DNA sequence: AATGAATGAGACTTCATTCAT
DNA sequence: TATGAATGAAGTCTCATTCAT
């Protein structure tokens, strides 16, 4: 891949993100995608075997960006609750500011594409080897402050409310302000804390 | 014009539920649907104007069935926590035993079909006139036991974890046993209680 | 055919005339036809083998009605020009007052249905044996007042202008008043007279 | 989007003209059209948005060709009658030699496609800007030789016989020879002359 | 390597006709 | 005999993918 083609690949993925988020996978013809990416239809097929592979690659991309966004430094002396709330607020901010990415992910996990992919992967596995911020938190010293429970339930209590609420945000039904974001983050903490 | 065979209409809706849940709206051709329902393609159009209307009708049906399932008698002297946990367990049981319905609803609310429908409607409005079980609970005397917060956040904390976890259940990644169901229900209660 | 069924046959033909004139043969489904005729779809097939036969039967009917309308008594001492103009005005009046019939006939003769039918039949053959009014005129004593020419050309000069103009009338582009009707009839006479 | 192959577009229009003339708009499936034009079905839709647009485009094409055919030089010192007869003979010759075009136009003006188009446009408006040959004639110095009458009636008397007769020609019922063509043209002139 | 015209399988839908009641 | 629900062939159009340039 020459640098030029890497650029083109990104143009395609960017256009795809927009189009998929706006119209859904099935209302985003390759021709339209090509036009928005300012490449020829045929060119897309040099970078991706077919539409499915493009969608999976885009998932990869969006997922990685999300993980990277959540990696952030935290003051060491912070309390577990403060730490968790901090991570949560980061997450909400990121997703609220990247509605296309959120819409794409929701669509992906709700379609035949995302079934075989573990849902928790969304937030519990870091980019290429590194641990995700949440993964570090849940497996680190804060563990003692959490009520002992099945990991699946823990993730559901931690992330379920966010995804639920953000759907309404991204459909324009709600706008989240800081007080509400805090309400949510603290609610989640109360759900999982010891 | 107004067909009399409620039976055939149901056959079609049943086949549609399966097919939509298994393959998604866009990978469920009318021809396949007809075959599974054991009717001719043209017959579907006697009962539903087009595919969209069929999808909306199915939503109606599934939604009503869900609401009906949640209506249950509760001992009057029960505590708010016990009441909430009871409702929650009911909900989880129902959805876990009806994975097609759950998948269909998730898909519906995540598609252009369901956008104009408030997400909370899922659980906060009862079937034709009656109040839903959750609606009664949240607007009833238990209100005093809840932490004051924005309604949207409240619903997110109450229902977000369930929908999150049930996706994994319906993809076959997890099987919920009673202890875990209790963990979840109690976590939710802790998130919203005073 | 009992009287009752003759009635029903007429209801069907009447509905067909309306529907065909308004929407064209190909935008007039049998179901709609049945509804407008207040009979069941299946019943239509007791009276007509299929849609084509219905169309041909309707043509027959409309054609006969037209011929009958043109049969009219004329004072014996009238001049050939007066006679011709009289017949012509009759014809125009009838067709202008029966726009559905006119539209149907135009459509019929312009479709694969009417190709094998001689166009002149329209006006040159009377109902069941009788001679049509125009036939009588052209073959009667007035013949001497006509310029000798091929029959086809004669009919074209006589009837072409009427059908041409009535199309605009039936599309609502023109409304014919008596002066114009006279202009037309006299123009036709000038075209064919000795 | 803007295809370069004018050739292919013409192939499609040629095939369409044949098919529409032979079978009518509604008995000319896109698949058959594609086969006759030796292109894939999908290709037609690169050149025309849908079947309707194809029909309108074909009308455009046929209309222009007809107008162009009628433009011809006339000796300046010719009499109005000779001029009119000359134009008429031209018209008849052209249409008799292009029966598909004639059938297509008749069908077009007799269908919902052509209703909003004034019937006279057929011959009274020239190709893109230029005046049609008949338009020039009727509005030129010959006007003084015509009997004063409503324009609609004038056109009907001039063009009605031609379209009437040519239907039979194009159904193969008659073959026009020069004497008959002259009879017709002169009859028309007698109908409209002063 | 890039382009985009061409392809044709397949989706949705309509509607003439049949047939069980 | 009348009914109208059921049928499925056939029509229009879309769009992922290919391939000649």
């Amino acid at each position: 891949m020459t640098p030029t083609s890497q650029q083109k690949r990104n143009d395609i993925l960017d256009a795809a993100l927009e189009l998929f988020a706006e119209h859904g996978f099935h209302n985003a013809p390759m021709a339209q995608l090509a036009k928005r990416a300012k490449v020829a239809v045929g060119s897309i097929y040099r970078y991706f075997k077919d539409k499915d592979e493009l969608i999976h690659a885009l998932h990869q991309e969006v997922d990685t960006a999300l993980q990277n966004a959540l990696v952030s430094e935290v003051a060491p002396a912070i309390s577990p609750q403060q730490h968790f709330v901090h991570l949560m607020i980061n997450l909400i901010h990121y997703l609220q500011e990247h509605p296309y990415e959120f819409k794409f992910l929701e669509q992906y996990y709700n379609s035949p594409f995302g079934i075989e992919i573990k849902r928790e992967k969304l937030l519990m596995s870091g980019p290429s080897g590194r641990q995700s911020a949440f993964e570090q938190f849940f497996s680190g010293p804060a563990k003692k402050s959490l009520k002992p429970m099945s990991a699946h339930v823990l993730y559901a209590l931690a992330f379920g409310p966010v995804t639920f609420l953000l759907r309404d945000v991204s459909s324009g039904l709600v706008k989240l302000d800081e007080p509400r974001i805090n309400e949510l983050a603290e609610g989640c903490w109360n759900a999982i804390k010891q």
Side-chain angles (χ1 to χ4, degrees), chain A:
Chain A
M1 293 276 179
T2 71
T4 301
S5 59
Q6 189 58 257
Q7 174 58 46
K8 195 163 285 195
R9 198 185 122 101
N10 282 339
D11 290 350
I12 294 167
L13 288 173
D14 288 352
L17 179 64
E18 280 179 40
L19 230 49
F20 291 158
E22 285 171 9
H23 304 305
F25 299 152
H26 293 281
N27 290 96
M30 297 299 267
Q32 207 170 323
L33 179 49
K35 187 191 279 187
R36 187 159 328 185
K38 294 195 205 310
V39 301
V41 204
S43 300
I44 300 179
Y45 287 83
R46 296 203 66 74
Y47 296 90
F48 308 96
K49 184 176 143 291
D50 55 21
K51 196 178 183 181
D52 280 20
E53 192 171 294
L54 165 59
I55 290 172
H56 285 302
L58 180 55
H59 169 253
Q60 196 80 301
E61 209 80 2
V62 170
D63 191 45
T64 302
L66 173 58
Q67 303 303 341
N68 286 335
L70 295 186
V71 174
S72 74
E73 299 306 315
V74 181
I78 209 169
S79 79
Q81 168 170 9
Q82 285 173 320
H83 191 170
F84 177 81
V85 167
H86 173 84
L87 288 175
M88 213 53 149
I89 288 175
N90 264 7
L91 172 62
I92 297 172
H93 279 166
Y94 180 82
L95 289 178
Q96 194 174 10
E97 283 156 18
H98 294 79
Y100 281 168
E101 278 84 348
F102 178 73
K103 278 194 161 175
F104 171 80
L105 289 173
E106 281 294 300
Q107 195 180 161
Y108 184 81
Y109 289 119
N110 261 90
S111 73
F113 295 107
I115 32 171
E116 73 263 21
I117 299 213
K118 275 206 191 52
R119 192 81 212 314
E120 298 78 25
K121 206 199 148 298
L122 175 57
L123 292 161
M124 290 309 290
S125 77
S128 39
R130 272 178 296 155
Q131 271 190 314
S132 83
F134 278 103
E135 207 173 355
Q136 279 178 38
F137 175 80
F138 282 132
S139 62
K143 200 191 258 180
K144 292 189 304 290
S145 314
L146 301 176
K147 184 188 286 195
M149 65 178 92
S150 141
H152 277 288
V153 174
L154 176 65
Y155 304 151
L157 289 170
F159 305 126
V162 178
T163 59
F164 190 97
L165 191 53
L166 280 172
R167 274 198 227 174
D168 290 347
V169 172
S170 81
S171 351
L173 291 175
V174 200
K175 182 81 178 63
L176 286 185
D177 46 20
E178 292 305 313
R180 286 200 239 197
I181 293 176
N182 276 302
E183 276 172 359
L184 190 78
E186 272 160 28
C188 288
W189 174 252
N190 289 331
I192 63 175
K193 75 165 184 214
Q194 182 71 269

